[in-house]
Structure formats: C-alpha cells, structure tokens
Amino acid sequence: MTDDANAPWLIVGLGNPGPEYAANRHNVGFMVVDLLAERIGGKFKRAQKAQAQVVEGRMGPPGPANRRVILAKPMSYMNLSGGPVTALRDFYKVPTAHVVAVHDELDIDYGVLRLKIGGGDNGHNGLKSMTKAMSAEYHRVRFGIGRPPGRMQVADFVLKDFSSSERKELDYFVDRAADSVECLVAEGLERAQSAYNS
C-alpha cells in the first residue's frame, strides 16, 4: 500500500461496546467519532469485513483538501482493537500513516489534546493491540483524562463515567478533539499540532 496523498483516511475511536460503557472515560474516542459522523451526516452501520461499526463520507473543505474518510468504532472490546482496525485498513486500502486512533490518555490533564504519529502505547490496551497488529506508525489524537485520584486503580478510573464537574466541559472538549481530527486530515500533522496541542 502506498502512502498516497489521495488515499482515504481511517479514523478510529477507541472504546468498549455496550450501553454500560458508553459514558466511561475510556470511551471518549467513541464520543469524538460519533460527533464526526454527525458532522458529515452519516450513521454508523455494521462493517462487512470487520467487527466494527463504520461510517463512510468526506471531510474537509471543498477542493483538494477534501478527503474520503472512514470513521470506525471497533466492537471487539478495547484490548482487541487491533484485529478490526487492521481488517478495515486492508479492506479500504488505507496506508498505516492515514490511520488515526482517537483515545483517552492518563498522563495528560483532563481536556488537553496532544496529536502525534508513532510512539509507545503508554500502557493503553487499545493502542497496544493496534501496534501489535500493524506497527506503531499511525496517528494518535490523545485526549487527556488525567490520573486517578488517591489510590484508585487505573482500570477502575478509566471504566468510570466522567465526573459531574468534568461533564460540564466534556461537550466542548469533544468538539475541540473533533476539530483537531478534521484539521489533521485536511491540513496535516504539523498544522494540527500547532493549532491544538496545548
């Protein structure tokens, strides 16, 4: 697969399927791709070739910066995300450098964004699974959720819903994360980093 400027982009929100997980911190990736799907006027449907839900459409301003995109939510549970993502990448002929994982990040303060390509998984099981399945050279939109308070276990913290005070700003932060994905796809990583890495 060539890294063709006109190749489609695969934007993957990481999360866990099912209503009991829907509002968890770990599911912020799903929240961001849900908003992106709304913006492009698409509804998620079951993928034919992968355990995932997908929306196909176009993103970006009219003209050469307008890109074909596939938005995806793996339905495999977080720690098995790599299988569905790789199947979608291969089916839609997406270069790995055009894959974007949107995910929660413990080591960044709540609501802060960091965009990058490649790197480690920092203990994130979704990223670990993706990297094992296809290499680390994909983009990440890291959505800060902060560290657990006191002695709370990381697993308990990420599988809890956002607190009531966090929820007051959540829509704004999800909106900003969706903006950053659109900027990344249309204008490239450097432009998106300078605009959104805070």
Side-chain angles (χ1 to χ4, degrees):
M1 272 179 278
T2 56
D3 190 355
D4 176 356
N6 297 316
W9 286 74
L10 174 60
I11 297 151
V12 181
L14 293 180
N16 288 307
E20 68 273 34
Y21 298 107
N24 288 180
R25 292 182 178 93
H26 223 18
N27 271 43
V28 76
F30 276 17
M31 297 172 198
V32 174
V33 294
D34 281 340
L35 177 57
L36 287 166
E38 210 176 287
R39 288 182 181 182
I40 67 172
K43 288 212 181 320
F44 279 96
K45 62 183 192 304
R46 185 185 294 272
Q48 293 176 328
K49 302 288 182 184
Q51 194 180 355
Q53 290 185 348
V54 294
V55 172
E56 296 178 57
R58 299 198 75 85
M59 185 181 283
N66 190 263
R67 303 276 186 249
R68 181 170 169 237
V69 295
I70 300 97
L71 305 174
K73 297 191 289 188
M75 292 286 117
S76 57
Y77 290 97
M78 182 70 85
N79 58 352
L80 299 172
S81 301
V85 174
T86 306
L88 291 170
R89 180 199 64 172
D90 293 348
F91 178 70
Y92 289 105
K93 298 181 170 51
V94 177
T96 300
H98 279 205
V99 176
V100 182
V102 185
H103 64 91
D104 57 306
E105 178 65 64
L106 285 160
D107 284 337
I108 304 175
D109 290 341
Y110 174 59
V112 172
L113 293 176
R114 293 268 193 283
L115 285 78
K116 68 173 190 171
I117 189 167
D121 56 55
N122 206 19
H124 192 289
N125 288 330
L127 297 180
K128 197 175 290 185
S129 178
M130 282 180 63
T131 297
K132 188 175 177 190
M134 66 181 190
S135 93
E137 294 311 303
Y138 53 89
H139 286 87
R140 298 102 190 275
V141 174
R142 303 156 73 208
F143 186 112
I145 60 168
R147 301 293 304 182
R151 295 174 180 230
M152 186 189 287
Q153 294 295 311
V154 164
D156 295 333
F157 179 69
V158 299
L159 293 176
K160 277 199 169 26
D161 291 358
F162 286 99
S163 69
S164 55
S165 63
E166 286 171 335
R167 280 199 297 273
K168 289 175 186 159
E169 295 182 293
L170 183 59
D171 286 349
Y172 168 75
F173 289 139
V174 167
D175 196 64
R176 193 164 178 273
D179 290 347
S180 79
V181 172
E182 291 181 341
C183 182
L184 169 63
V185 168
E187 301 182 56
L189 180 61
E190 277 185 34
R191 176 77 189 90
Q193 286 175 324
S194 66
Y196 294 97
N197 278 14
S198 39

